[in-house]
Amino acid sequence: MRMSYCLPSETYNILLSEEEVNVLLREGYITIHVSRIPCTTSRSVFNKEKEKMEVLDKKKVENCLFFHTDEPVADIEAGDQYVQFLCINVEKTCKVYDQS
């Protein structure tokens, strides 16, 4: 598993192999922590007549994503670090065949 946290965008990237995902699921390590921080959410759909995206169902929700570091890492201080964008990628196992 490889991870990176980018500032100032607060983008948290996690790259897992298929085997690592299976271990996390099997061992019960996947959980979600939700706090009480308000944000706005909505749903977008494409309007064929107007040929543009329309925002529907805009409303306030309570949601917060963060991780905690026990000690400083590079220029990141210890403590709660808030995440704006979370990217989780699962590597695909691909075999390379000699075509000669």
Side-chain angles (χ1 to χ4, degrees), residues 16-100:
L16 300 163
S17 70
E18 186 176 344
E19 182 181 329
E20 289 169 328
V21 171
N22 289 327
V23 168
L24 291 172
L25 290 169
R26 185 174 60 246
E27 300 295 327
Y29 288 124
I30 296 179
T31 60
I32 297 173
H33 182 109
V34 177
S35 254
R36 296 293 180 202
I37 305 296
C39 68
T40 303
T41 187
S42 63
R43 184 170 64 90
S44 296
V45 295
F46 185 75
N47 185 324
K48 291 181 183 178
E49 295 173 6
K50 296 179 182 177
E51 297 186 342
K52 67 176 190 173
M53 296 297 290
E54 288 186 341
V55 177
L56 306 175
D57 308 321
K58 195 176 212 181
K59 61 182 170 183
K60 298 282 186 188
V61 296
E62 295 176 346
N63 191 3
C64 180
L65 179 63
F66 66 93
F67 66 95
H68 182 82
T69 54
D70 291 333
E71 58 187 53
V73 178
D75 59 345
I76 302 172
E77 296 178 14
D80 291 337
Q81 303 296 327
Y82 289 92
V83 176
Q84 182 172 348
F85 302 104
L86 174 63
C87 304
I88 301 174
N89 294 308
V90 178
E91 293 178 323
K92 291 184 178 179
T93 307
C94 62
K95 297 179 182 177
V96 177
Y97 296 99
D98 184 5
Q99 297 180 2
S100 57

